[in-house]
Amino acid sequence: DITITMKETSIYIHPVKKYKVIYDSATLSLNNCQISGDNLLIKTINESNFLCALSDGMGSGFYAYQLSQETLKMVDNITNCNISFDAALQILNNFFKTKDLSDSYATLDLVNINLTDGILDLYKLGSSTTYISRGDKIIPIYNNNLPFGISDLVTKEEYGIADNDLIILVSDGINDYIDEGSLVKFIETIKDELPHKIVYEILQKIYYENKNQIKDDMSCIAIKIKSI
């Protein structure tokens, strides 16, 4: 479906969005430091694509921050180009590979949601488990790829989206300190909340269950799909 606007002799074609997203995110850094090795990128492209990415730099502190920040900066720049996401990420992967960064890398979780055709593309490169909640099911999506620049090929998983779907991205600071079964059960109890509440509850649970002593940076992004 499209709407067409006539203006003088020009025709502007605007894709009709069938979905919108509401989201929130938060990060807790190791030792309450102002610098986190986790960085986030959230933006809309061409009004039709919602992009959300989480990158975790190797280690912690300023060096890890630089690795993940640089990764997301390049993702941000290249996804503004008029090429497909697949091609853009493959170009970045090849760039990292030529720099031989196998001993200093950053992971990447990237979600691209097409709000017009209702397709979610998920790219996971060395990242932690992603969780998709639909109805009464919560589906863990595991990482099957190495970080940028180590393997030759960037692959993606494709899903159709539906009203009230919930997508949760987390860094390994969360998945390393709670087993998957416990986290899935906890998500089941909060999945109907708004994203800011979901993010807060997940981080709070890990923080207090570890007696206020976290051993890695922790980040969480919650995205809810709404039909228009």
Side-chain angles (χ1 to χ4, degrees):
D1 296 337
I2 60 172
T3 56
I4 299 178
T5 302
M6 300 291 293
K7 186 178 180 180
E8 296 180 346
T9 58
S10 301
I11 298 177
Y12 300 90
I13 299 178
H14 310 285
V16 174
K17 291 192 291 188
K18 299 177 182 177
Y19 300 92
K20 65 179 181 178
V21 297
I22 55 175
Y23 63 90
D24 213 330
S25 62
T27 296
L28 284 178
S29 57
L30 180 64
N31 299 323
N32 295 316
C33 180
Q34 292 184 347
I35 295 293
S36 171
D38 297 347
N39 271 291
L40 313 177
L41 170 65
I42 301 173
K43 67 175 185 176
T44 300
I45 302 173
N46 299 328
E47 299 185 2
S48 298
N49 287 278
F50 175 80
L51 183 147
C52 180
L54 190 162
S55 180
D56 181 4
M58 184 186 70
S60 61
F62 187 70
Y63 182 63
Y65 165 81
Q66 283 184 308
L67 288 171
S68 58
Q69 182 195 48
E70 186 64 23
T71 297
L72 291 187
K73 183 178 179 180
M74 287 190 285
V75 169
D76 186 18
N77 289 336
I78 202 165
T79 52
N80 289 330
C81 301
N82 190 26
I83 57 176
S84 70
F85 278 83
D86 291 354
L89 293 182
Q90 191 62 57
I91 290 169
L92 279 187
N93 184 71
N94 294 340
F95 170 76
F96 277 102
K97 195 171 180 64
T98 60
K99 292 182 69 175
D100 190 20
L101 298 177
S102 58
D103 60 344
S104 57
Y105 61 82
T107 67
L108 179 68
D109 249 329
L110 188 147
V111 169
N112 176 51
I113 303 172
N114 189 306
L115 303 174
T116 301
D117 61 19
I119 297 296
L120 182 155
D121 291 331
L122 177 61
Y123 302 84
K124 299 185 66 64
L125 296 166
S127 55
S128 293
T129 305
T130 297
Y131 301 90
I132 297 180
S133 171
R134 175 175 294 177
D136 58 356
K137 293 183 178 180
I138 297 177
I139 306 167
I141 310 298
Y142 303 106
N143 174 72
N144 293 315
N145 301 300
L146 296 171
F148 262 139
I150 299 178
S151 60
D152 292 323
L153 187 65
V154 173
T155 60
K156 71 177 180 182
E157 297 189 48
E158 186 177 291
Y159 303 88
I161 59 174
D163 188 40
N164 285 321
D165 280 359
L166 169 67
I167 302 102
I168 297 178
L169 306 179
V170 297
S171 63
D172 61 5
I174 291 177
N175 272 333
D176 285 350
Y177 298 105
I178 183 171
D179 66 86
E180 181 184 294
S182 297
L183 183 54
V184 166
K185 288 180 181 178
F186 185 65
I187 293 173
E188 287 174 346
T189 68
I190 60 173
K191 61 184 176 64
D192 295 324
E193 302 286 351
L194 291 173
H196 74 272
K197 178 70 169 176
I198 293 170
V199 167
Y200 171 81
E201 292 290 348
I202 290 175
L203 290 179
Q204 179 179 246
K205 179 178 177 63
I206 308 300
Y207 188 68
Y208 287 116
E209 284 191 358
N210 285 277
K211 300 179 180 179
N212 303 351
Q213 296 294 320
I214 62 173
K215 300 177 182 179
D216 195 2
D217 303 313
M218 300 193 307
S219 295
C220 180
I221 305 173
I223 308 162
K224 274 206 171 179
I225 308 295
K226 292 292 182 182
S227 294
I228 296 178

